[in-house]
Amino acid sequence: MPYRWRIALTAVFCFLIAAGAGGYFVLASRVSRGDFKLLAENRVGDFFKTRVRIGNIRPHLFNQISLTELVVGSEKSSEKHPYFVHIEKVVFRYNFLQLLIQNFKTPNVIVLEAPKVILDQTSFPYDLFQRLGLDAKSGGMGSSTLKIKGGEVRIPVGLFHTELRLNDIQGSLQSEGDGKISVSFKAHASGLLKGDLLLAGVIDVFNKTHHLDLKMEGISFSDVVALPFDRLDGNVRLENGKFIFDNLEGTIKGWKNHLSGALWNLGPAPAFELDWQVGKKDFLGAIHFEGDLAAENFKASLQPFLKQEIILEGKIRREGMNFFSDAYKTNTGYEGSGKLDFESGAYDFSFRKENQIIAVESNLKGLSFHLRLDLNHVKFWNLDVATKMEIELDPVALRWEEHDWKFRGSFNTDYFILEYIPWQDFSGSFEIVPYAVKNFTSFWGDVFQMDAELNFQPAIPDGKADLRVHGFDLSHVKEFASKPLPKDLGGKLEGKLHIEGPIFRPEVVGNFNVHDGKIGKLLYDRGIIQFRGFPPYLALYDSRILKGRTTLYLTGALNLALPNMFHGIRIETSDKIVIWKGIQAHTSQGGLEIEHVWENLPEFALESVGQKKKSIMDEPSQNAEDNPGVVVGPKVKF
């Protein structure tokens, strides 16, 4: 470094030392005067609006005066000043010009170190900010800038019986003239909320208005409040006593959530409005809720992923941390009542309509659901259902990058009757994913198993199901699809029914075998029943009845829309001779008779007249008793 540069830097350094020493000497001489202590006590006393004594005043660095050991005459809040303030240390900072002219009346910057403030939740503390004296018209401490280092602000939140604490506050307040104060600070929240907060905005102490923006980063609710949101990010606007939050983002069990709404009339009976959407790409559902605890009414709309909006409207009241709705109605004709315990998070709601009772129990913390259904002959997709059922739903946390959510569920029944046919011990499990029900597996009667999937995303929901039967005793079947069967049945049924397509008109494919079967008094060794079609028409194919070497073929179609669904079924021999067509079967004393409904057709009788089985190619005997077999009509024998 050149010699002249070293000389210049040395001169600057010496000047700074001299200026700092001079400033310190000026401050020390001013502080030592008794009138400065009185001035400082008056400035701080104007802030507290009470008498203040300062135990220690000393210079700090070259342009700062430190005030410690403050004794405040009254630190209690009052109705006129609903806040409490305690300050460990106050530092007055002066600029160089103030030091030169020895103007110590109005510090350039006032620093409050480790202040403790308790605010009232019911009103905004305009009086507190006015007493800071950041404007010439405001009085107070008389400075254009106030800085805060450390400290704590506590705000009681009576709604949740807790408080919000802002710790390690770092920031400043700056006068903008005409009673307006710009605020900017950051803090760490505890109590009601946990996480980091950034607050910035303008407070008008004369007109008593405020517009503040609160930025939240990684905020979560404390265990005292039973809210499930985790890591909330976004902005909240504080405008004239109203909290407005737009599109806050958070997670519940790893799923993205979006919150918007407002909260006002803070106190024990606030009013609020909330829009909550779970999922974004894969939509789980949305809830809109608005209520007024002072008026004791609320209105809510629920839109699950099936996109059918449900609207609730009724009364609401509060007792401590418990919220009750003694009566509400829905747009679907249900009435009910409910309760929410905000301390534990537990809630239960019931819905009633005519012959239906639906009860829901859950907890805000866990999002698991317990449902109880008591339905007495209710129509689902035009099927009659009567059941007493319990359903459990548990959420599964997944990575949001997969844009997925999932519930695992299980159910069991005291009884389940579909189309007047009881399903004994009906139970099962399933999974609910975006727009679909997957891995549905159910069992009943020890012989039935159904695996199914439903997809609700298309305009017309579709699905597929496989019903497997393992050794079902047909003697228990007296009717089918709520229609009485024309004959007593017997035998063991095994096979599979496959259903696939739109849920209102799926394709049905059936493949069944009957062993040691019985139709009325007709016994057979094996029956093969195969059909395919779209309800109500199910066409038979490759279906037959076997008894020994004798084979009868079943053709035609079932028509589930007719009182006699067997109207279109035909029984044929191997020579295509139709022996049953458009008829009803009934048991007679002499054997199995098959009667037609058309009077102009000849009558056929199918009789089992012996144990010996012969081929249809055998010649008929003159004496049927000497040549036992099966006789169709007067001359056809096989």
Side-chain angles (χ1 to χ4, degrees):
M1 180 183 294
Y3 178 74
R4 59 183 180 179
W5 282 105
R6 283 185 286 177
I7 295 295
L9 290 176
T10 302
V12 171
F13 181 71
C14 292
F15 174 78
L16 293 176
I17 293 178
Y24 184 85
F25 175 77
V26 172
L27 289 176
S29 61
R30 186 70 179 86
V31 166
S32 62
R33 296 167 53 181
D35 60 340
F36 182 82
K37 181 179 180 181
L38 180 62
L39 173 67
E41 289 178 342
N42 288 336
R43 291 299 183 197
V44 179
D46 286 340
F47 172 70
F48 286 103
K49 283 300 175 183
T50 187
R51 184 177 179 181
V52 174
R53 292 183 180 181
I54 300 175
N56 186 17
I57 302 178
R58 63 182 179 85
H60 183 67
L61 299 178
F62 70 93
N63 68 335
Q64 301 181 27
I65 296 176
S66 174
L67 313 176
T68 57
E69 299 179 11
L70 278 70
V71 178
V72 182
S74 175
E75 294 183 336
K76 296 183 179 180
S77 63
S78 65
E79 184 175 344
K80 184 177 180 181
H81 307 299
Y83 55 82
F84 161 82
V85 180
H86 175 77
I87 301 175
E88 293 288 340
K89 181 179 179 181
V90 179
V91 176
F92 289 174
R93 291 180 182 174
Y94 299 90
N95 58 32
F96 187 69
L97 179 61
Q98 288 175 307
L99 293 176
L100 287 179
I101 63 176
Q102 297 191 24
N103 178 14
F104 300 103
K105 182 178 180 180
T106 305
N108 183 48
V109 177
I110 296 178
V111 181
L112 305 181
E113 294 190 5
K116 295 181 180 179
V117 181
I118 299 178
L119 301 177
D120 182 8
Q121 65 162 345
T122 59
S123 60
F124 191 83
Y126 294 108
D127 186 56
L128 171 63
F129 287 96
Q130 186 171 1
R131 307 210 183 288
L132 295 176
L134 297 179
D135 189 275
K137 301 179 183 180
S138 303
M141 296 180 74
S143 176
S144 60
T145 302
L146 181 91
K147 292 185 178 295
I148 300 175
K149 295 177 64 176
E152 178 184 68
V153 174
R154 298 167 63 181
I155 306 173
V157 185
L159 181 64
F160 301 117
H161 291 182
T162 185
E163 63 180 9
L164 172 63
R165 295 188 295 274
L166 304 179
N167 306 305
D168 192 22
I169 301 173
Q170 305 289 331
S172 64
L173 294 87
Q174 183 77 37
S175 172
E176 294 187 353
D178 297 327
K180 293 183 175 63
I181 301 173
S182 64
V183 178
S184 176
F185 69 82
K186 64 180 180 179
H188 181 76
S190 60
L192 177 65
L193 302 176
K194 297 179 181 179
D196 295 323
L197 301 174
L198 297 174
L199 182 67
V202 176
I203 300 170
D204 189 336
V205 297
F206 292 161
N207 297 314
K208 297 190 182 304
T209 61
H210 60 275
H211 299 275
L212 303 173
D213 290 322
L214 178 65
K215 184 178 181 181
M216 301 193 299
E217 298 179 348
I219 293 293
S220 60
F221 287 93
S222 71
D223 296 335
V224 178
V225 180
L227 292 175
F229 306 107
D230 188 27
R231 297 200 57 81
L232 281 173
D233 296 313
N235 294 322
V236 176
R237 289 181 288 123
L238 285 68
E239 295 186 356
N240 305 325
K242 191 173 185 178
F243 287 79
I244 303 171
F245 39 98
D246 296 322
N247 200 28
L248 291 178
E249 291 191 359
T251 59
I252 298 179
K253 293 288 183 178
W255 308 335
K256 282 290 185 180
N257 287 256
H258 302 265
L259 290 172
S260 299
L263 176 67
W264 64 98
N265 295 341
L266 300 181
F272 47 87
E273 184 176 347
L274 172 67
D275 286 292
W276 174 22
Q277 178 176 321
V278 182
K280 188 173 183 180
K281 179 180 177 182
D282 292 322
F283 179 65
L284 173 60
I287 296 175
H288 175 80
F289 193 92
E290 55 188 65
D292 189 336
L293 288 175
E296 295 190 344
N297 55 45
F298 80 97
K299 183 177 181 181
S301 64
L302 292 79
Q303 183 178 328
F305 67 93
L306 298 181
K307 301 183 179 179
Q308 180 181 359
E309 186 178 31
I310 301 172
I311 299 176
L312 292 85
E313 200 166 356
K315 306 297 290 184
I316 188 173
R317 60 185 175 87
R318 175 190 172 196
E319 295 181 6
M321 291 288 284
N322 294 319
F323 295 81
F324 298 89
S325 179
D326 298 320
Y328 52 76
K329 296 182 179 180
T330 74
N331 61 330
T332 55
Y334 287 90
E335 297 181 353
S337 59
K339 173 187 174 182
L340 168 63
D341 184 348
F342 237 125
E343 186 171 4
S344 66
Y347 65 87
D348 60 85
F349 296 93
S350 64
F351 302 88
R352 299 176 296 275
K353 183 173 73 171
E354 297 176 352
N355 52 354
Q356 306 174 43
I357 300 177
I358 302 174
V360 181
E361 297 178 359
S362 185
N363 193 293
L364 292 174
K365 293 181 178 180
L367 287 183
S368 294
F369 296 90
H370 177 76
L371 288 80
R372 298 191 309 275
L373 309 180
D374 193 348
L375 311 178
N376 187 17
H377 298 291
V378 177
K379 290 292 184 180
F380 284 100
W381 296 320
N382 207 32
L383 298 175
D384 185 273
V385 176
T387 185
K388 191 171 185 180
M389 175 184 294
E390 295 193 8
I391 302 174
E392 299 284 349
L393 288 175
D394 296 304
V396 179
L398 298 175
R399 295 190 304 272
W400 177 244
E401 289 76 8
E402 298 176 356
H403 299 284
D404 205 357
W405 52 262
K406 182 187 295 185
F407 277 94
R408 287 200 180 104
S410 62
F411 65 91
N412 59 77
T413 59
D414 289 346
Y415 60 87
F416 184 86
I417 303 173
L418 178 65
E419 284 294 300
Y420 304 97
I421 299 177
W423 294 23
Q424 186 179 4
D425 300 326
F426 183 46
S427 62
S429 61
F430 57 92
E431 293 179 351
I432 301 178
V433 298
Y435 303 105
V437 177
K438 292 187 174 182
N439 298 326
F440 179 94
T441 300
S442 60
F443 305 88
W444 67 96
D446 295 328
V447 294
F448 293 98
Q449 176 182 342
M450 178 184 290
D451 300 312
E453 291 186 359
L454 286 175
N455 184 8
F456 298 101
Q457 196 165 22
I460 301 178
D462 60 22
K464 61 181 179 179
D466 289 314
L467 172 62
R468 293 176 175 84
V469 185
H470 307 281
F472 176 63
D473 189 352
L474 289 174
S475 64
H476 299 304
V477 179
K478 303 302 180 184
E479 59 183 32
F480 180 79
S482 73
K483 299 175 177 62
L485 294 174
K487 273 295 172 187
D488 291 334
L489 299 179
K492 298 294 184 180
L493 178 69
E494 293 189 359
K496 173 182 173 182
L497 180 70
H498 178 77
I499 304 172
E500 186 169 359
I503 60 175
F504 299 109
R505 198 168 185 268
E507 183 180 24
V508 178
V509 180
N511 295 276
F512 293 97
N513 286 277
V514 180
H515 299 279
D516 300 324
K518 173 186 177 184
I519 304 177
K521 292 186 177 181
L522 174 63
L523 305 178
Y524 58 92
D525 300 325
R526 181 185 177 194
I528 301 174
I529 313 297
Q530 300 184 104
F531 52 84
R532 185 170 194 157
F534 296 90
Y537 303 102
L538 303 176
L540 295 172
Y541 70 94
D542 294 338
S543 298
R544 51 199 179 273
I545 296 175
L546 299 95
K547 183 175 178 63
R549 292 179 297 172
T550 301
T551 302
L552 292 177
Y553 296 92
L554 302 177
T555 60
L558 294 168
N559 188 344
L560 302 180
L562 297 178
N564 176 18
M565 63 181 178
F566 301 103
H567 186 276
I569 299 296
R570 298 184 298 271
I571 296 180
E572 300 177 351
T573 67
S574 59
D575 293 334
K576 303 300 182 182
I577 299 176
V578 178
I579 62 173
W580 185 23
K581 182 179 181 181
I583 56 170
Q584 290 181 326
H586 65 84
T587 302
S588 68
Q589 186 67 27
L592 175 64
E593 292 184 350
I594 305 177
E595 295 183 339
H596 60 77
V597 296
W598 298 300
E599 296 180 356
N600 59 338
L601 288 180
E603 184 176 273
F604 290 90
L606 177 63
E607 293 185 315
S608 175
V609 294
Q611 299 298 323
K612 184 178 179 181
K613 300 162 181 79
K614 291 190 176 184
S615 170
I616 195 170
M617 300 303 294
D618 292 349
E619 291 294 329
S621 171
Q622 297 296 325
N623 188 351
E625 294 181 359
D626 297 333
N627 192 7
V630 177
V631 178
V632 180
K635 295 295 182 180
V636 181
K637 182 181 78 170
F638 59 97

